[in-house]
Amino acid sequence: MAEFDFDAVVVGAGAVGLACGYALARRGLSVAVVEQDAAIGQGVSSRNSEVIHGGLYYPTGSLKARLCVEGRRMLYAFCDSHHVEYDRCGKLVVAQSTAELGRLDEILEQALINDVEGMARLSKAEALALEPELACEAALISPESGVFESHAYMLALQGEIEAAGGAVVLATPFEAATPLEGGGFEVLAGGAEPATLTCRYLVTAPGLSAQSVAADILGFPAELIPPAHYGKGIYFRLSGKAPFQRLIYPPPIHGALGTHYRRDLGGQGVFGPDLTYVDKPDYTVDPSAAAGFYGYIRKFWPGLPDGALSPDYAGVRPKIHGHDEPQPDFRLDAEDAHGLPGLVALFGIESPGLTSSLAIGEEVAARLGLPPIP
Ligand SMILES: Cc1cc2nc3c(=O)[nH]c(=O)nc-3n(C[C@H](O)[C@H](O)[C@H](O)COP(=O)(O)OP(=O)(O)OC[C@H]3O[C@@H](n4cnc5c(N)ncnc54)[C@H](O)[C@@H]3O)c2cc1C
C-alpha cells in the first residue's frame, strides 16, 4: 500500500473545513488542514449571524434539510462537551400581515417534515405574551433555534484535530493537487515555505474560493465547477436595550432567510443580513442603508427609536446561483460526481453551513467510504 504524508488533507480552516478535519481525525486518520490565512476562521465563518438554525425551511430530501437538523443536534452536544457558549433562545417566525399567514402554514408543514422538534403555531396574543414589544398577526415558535460563539467552536475543533495528532497549518495556501497513480494526491502548498505533501484523501472546503481551488485540481472536470456568485449581507447594531429575547424572523426572502433580529451573547440587538449580489467580496456597510432597515424592522418592532441603529459588519455568501435562479442545495461532490477517487469538493456552503458543519463532516467521511462512528 502506498505511503502518504497524511491520510487526509483538508483545504480551508473555516467552520466547515475544521469540522471535516475533526470527522476524519475521529476516525483515526492523520489530518492536515491547510489554511491560507494567518489564523483560523477568518472567512465566511467570521461574518455571519452565529445562529444555530432549527432547520425549518429546507426542501424535503435536500442535504440542507437533513444536515441542518442533524448538525444542530450535534452542535449543541459539542458545545456542551467543549464548553462553547450558546443560548438556545428559540425563534419566532412572524407574519406581519394577514397575507403572510399562509406562509406560516407552509413553513410549519415543512418544519414538521424536516423533523424539527417543538414547533408550534402561536396566535397574536400568544406571541405578544412571549415578546411584548412585537407586532405581528401570528407566529411560529422554534424552541431549538439559538445563537452560539462560533469562534470558540472553531478553536475547539482545532484543539480536537491537534489532540488526535493532526495539524492545522496556517499561512499555507493550497495551490494545486495532482492525482497519483494508484490513488491519493500530491498537494502543492505555498506560503513562506512551499511544500508538497501526499495524501490518500483530499477535502476542499475553501468557502468563497471553492471554484478556483477545484480548478487547480488536475482532472477535475471544468464543466462541473459551478459559477461563483457573491451574496452580500449587511448588519446594523442596536444601541440601547435589546427588545426581544428570542430570534425574530419575518418569512424568508428569495435566496436567503433575510434580515432578522438576534440578541447576541453580549446581550446586544443586531439586525441583518439583507441580500445584495456583488461582483466580488466587499465588506463595506453603507450607512445610508439604515433607512431601509428602519422601515423593515418597524413592521415587527414599531418601538424602534430613531437613531438607534449603527452600521456593524458585512458578510458574503458563497452562492452558486444567480439572483433570479432557484436556491440550490449544498454540493459535496465525491467520486461519483467528478470521477476522482478520494476527493470530496464542497461548493455553495452558505447558510445553514455553520449549523450543519459537524453533519457535513460526517457526510464527507461517508462519501469517502469511511464507516460511521458508533
Ligand atoms: C451574512 C451571512 C450570514 C450567515 N448566517 C449563518 C447563520 O446564522 N447560521 C448558519 O448556520 N450559517 C450562516 N451562514 C453560513 C455560514 O457562515 C457558512 O456556511 C460557513 O461559515 C462556511 O464555512 P466554510 O468553512 O465553508 O467557509 P469559510 O469560513 O470561508 O472557510 C474557508 C476557508 O478556506 C480558506 N481558503 C480559501 N482558499 C484557500 C486556499 N487556496 N488555500 C488554503 N485555504 C484557503 C479561507 O481563507 C477560509 O479560512 C451565514 C453566511 C453569511 C455570509
Side-chain angles (χ1 to χ4, degrees):
M1 192 194 282
E3 287 291 316
F4 297 99
D5 296 324
F6 291 92
D7 293 321
V9 168
V10 178
V11 179
V16 174
L18 290 167
C20 292
Y22 171 56
L24 301 178
R26 287 175 79 205
R27 288 166 168 78
L29 272 57
S30 63
V31 174
V33 180
V34 295
E35 167 55 52
Q36 66 186 3
D37 284 343
I40 64 164
Q42 301 301 297
V44 185
S45 301
S46 67
R47 297 170 163 275
N48 54 64
S49 301
E50 297 190 297
V51 169
I52 300 181
H53 286 297
L56 285 53
Y57 312 97
Y58 310 107
T60 308
S62 65
L63 283 173
K64 286 184 181 174
R66 176 165 63 84
L67 300 181
C68 183
V69 172
E70 288 176 9
R72 185 227 323 138
R73 294 173 185 155
M74 295 168 78
L75 185 54
Y76 280 124
F78 185 95
C79 289
D80 281 334
S81 57
H82 292 77
H83 309 289
V84 175
E85 193 182 354
Y86 67 84
D87 178 8
R88 200 186 315 227
C89 54
K91 146 170 152 175
L92 297 182
V93 185
V94 295
Q96 301 162 106
S97 66
T98 48
E100 281 182 347
L101 292 174
R103 302 280 311 274
L104 293 191
D105 293 332
E106 290 164 14
I107 295 167
L108 180 59
E109 190 184 342
Q110 189 64 53
L112 295 176
I113 294 170
N114 292 357
D115 200 22
V116 181
E117 307 87 335
M119 293 295 305
R121 177 92 186 220
L122 302 181
S123 67
K124 179 175 178 171
E126 288 167 331
L128 267 57
L130 293 177
E131 298 289 3
E133 294 208 41
L134 191 64
C136 70
E137 290 299 325
L140 297 178
I141 186 162
S142 162
E144 289 298 317
S145 304
V147 291
F148 79 126
E149 226 283 59
S150 60
H151 201 74
Y153 164 61
M154 290 187 275
L155 282 171
L157 289 172
Q158 177 182 8
E160 286 285 357
I161 293 166
E162 290 173 348
V168 177
V169 195
L170 302 174
T172 302
F174 165 94
E175 293 191 339
T178 308
L180 295 169
E181 230 172 87
F185 296 87
E186 183 178 77
V187 172
L188 175 62
E193 292 174 33
T196 53
L197 18 127
T198 58
C199 55
R200 174 175 296 281
Y201 302 117
L202 177 62
V203 177
T204 61
L208 292 163
S209 306
Q211 287 78 2
S212 60
V213 165
D216 287 331
I217 300 171
L218 191 69
F220 196 98
E223 67 279 11
L224 290 186
I225 300 177
H229 295 281
Y230 305 109
K232 179 178 172 181
I234 61 171
Y235 293 83
F236 281 81
R237 187 163 287 267
L238 178 72
S239 59
K241 188 173 171 294
F244 308 112
Q245 290 181 39
R246 294 165 186 77
L247 297 155
I248 309 291
Y249 277 68
I253 57 173
H254 177 70
L257 296 185
T259 295
H260 56 264
Y261 161 89
R262 79 176 191 277
R263 190 179 63 167
D264 69 13
L265 290 172
Q268 266 198 299
V270 184
F271 297 92
D274 62 357
L275 173 60
T276 311
Y277 275 72
V278 290
D279 293 336
K280 55 182 186 341
D282 154 28
Y283 300 106
T284 54
V285 181
D286 177 1
S288 72
F293 271 70
Y294 279 102
Y296 181 90
I297 295 163
R298 282 181 175 141
K299 286 195 221 156
F300 63 82
W301 182 32
L304 170 63
D306 282 336
L309 297 179
S310 45
D312 201 5
Y313 64 99
V316 175
R317 303 164 178 90
K319 286 191 166 290
I320 53 174
H321 67 110
H323 64 88
D324 49 0
E325 294 166 351
Q327 194 166 16
D329 204 359
F330 292 148
R331 271 183 52 184
L332 317 180
D333 288 8
E335 183 183 355
D336 59 342
H338 50 61
L340 298 175
L343 170 69
V344 179
L346 277 51
F347 298 100
I349 312 297
E350 52 169 320
S351 190
L354 202 52
T355 308
S356 310
S357 49
L358 290 168
I360 291 175
E362 290 299 308
E363 183 66 22
V364 163
R367 289 185 183 203
L368 289 171
L370 299 166
I373 292 186

